Amino acid sequence: MKTISEYKDMALQSLEGKWGKAAIATLIAFIILELFGSSPSFFMDPIPSMVLQGVFSLLLLPLAWGHFIFFLRLIRDENLDYGHLFDGFNQYFRIFLAELLKGIYILLWALLLIIPGLIKEYSYAMTEFILKDNPEMSGEEAICESMRLMQGHKMQLFLLDLSMIGWLILSFLTLGIGLLFLMPYNYTAHAHFYEDLKAKQ
């Protein structure tokens, strides 16, 4: 496995000349997720509003998956048509159930203590990429495979994310605009991390 600095450098190299496309893809995903997942409800009562927003957020899980996979395509020099953001809807129930299951597992572990939840989040971090490369796998199988790949590597990925804290602070200072660049940077680094895990094992 490479060092954290090397993964960050690889991400920057992959994004060279593609920052605009990466930022626009992130903006598209963000607008749709925010529009339907966090927009004011038709209901005046806050309880139905929260329920409706929660339902929309769940239904859009395949879009979040497509956004993640967009950057795996990017490092592989594949076609970066924005339509690929919606690839998860072509296999909707498989992707939806996988993402839902992953979220439930992380939540259940987090209810015990924050640290176990964080550990499991990094154990499952490669699930999206595995689902892309193994269309025959179920969500449960992809999660198990992610756990296998991430054995002994969770701390390294955590430190990679932690090293981008400066970008996160900048994103807050720019009222969230910086996220249009931080998310592509982070997701691209994760994609390179995944490719290294596959090559290693």
Side-chain angles (χ1 to χ4, degrees):
M1 298 295 289
K2 298 179 178 62
T3 66
I4 290 171
S5 294
E6 286 175 319
Y7 285 120
K8 293 172 75 173
D9 288 341
M10 291 167 68
L12 291 173
Q13 290 171 10
S14 294
L15 285 163
E16 188 174 349
K18 301 174 183 176
W19 279 105
K21 199 149 197 173
I24 291 173
T26 299
L27 181 62
I28 292 171
F30 179 78
I31 288 175
I32 295 174
L33 290 170
E34 282 298 305
L35 182 64
F36 291 99
S38 303
S39 60
S41 169
F42 296 109
F43 298 103
M44 296 299 291
D45 192 319
I47 301 301
S49 296
M50 291 174 61
V51 171
L52 185 61
Q53 290 168 8
V55 169
F56 276 129
S57 295
L58 287 174
L59 293 176
L60 289 171
L61 284 175
L63 174 60
W65 177 85
H67 182 217
F68 213 71
I69 296 305
F70 187 88
F71 298 97
L72 183 62
R73 299 180 66 89
L74 184 146
I75 71 166
R76 291 176 174 176
D77 291 321
E78 297 179 6
N79 177 28
L80 292 180
D81 189 288
Y82 297 124
H84 288 300
L85 289 169
F86 305 95
D87 281 353
F89 292 95
N90 295 330
Q91 41 186 326
Y92 185 85
F93 289 106
R94 174 174 172 265
I95 300 301
F96 171 78
L97 291 175
E99 293 295 322
L100 181 62
L101 191 61
K102 175 184 169 182
I104 290 173
Y105 284 166
I106 292 172
L107 176 62
L108 290 176
W109 279 101
L111 289 175
L112 297 176
L113 282 172
I114 293 176
I115 298 301
L118 186 62
I119 291 172
K120 286 302 178 181
E121 183 171 353
Y122 280 92
S123 291
Y124 307 154
M126 300 295 114
T127 301
E128 287 78 10
F129 298 136
I130 293 167
L131 286 168
K132 168 69 167 64
D133 284 344
N134 302 274
E136 76 287 352
M137 276 191 181
S138 67
E140 181 69 39
E141 290 170 333
I143 289 172
C144 290
E145 178 63 9
S146 178
M147 292 174 64
R148 187 185 72 82
L149 287 177
M150 288 298 291
Q151 286 182 0
H153 302 290
K154 292 184 285 293
M155 179 58 72
Q156 187 179 12
L157 186 60
F158 171 73
L159 292 175
L160 173 61
D161 288 342
L162 192 62
S163 72
M164 297 186 178
I165 191 70
W167 278 70
L168 184 59
I169 293 172
L170 181 61
S171 297
F172 288 133
L173 293 176
T174 58
L175 302 178
I177 295 175
L179 289 173
L180 297 180
F181 302 95
L182 172 59
M183 293 180 73
Y185 186 19
N186 183 258
Y187 286 9
T188 303
H190 275 228
H192 279 295
F193 195 91
Y194 167 70
E195 293 286 58
D196 248 16
L197 283 176
K198 280 205 314 175
K200 181 177 182 294
Q201 300 190 31

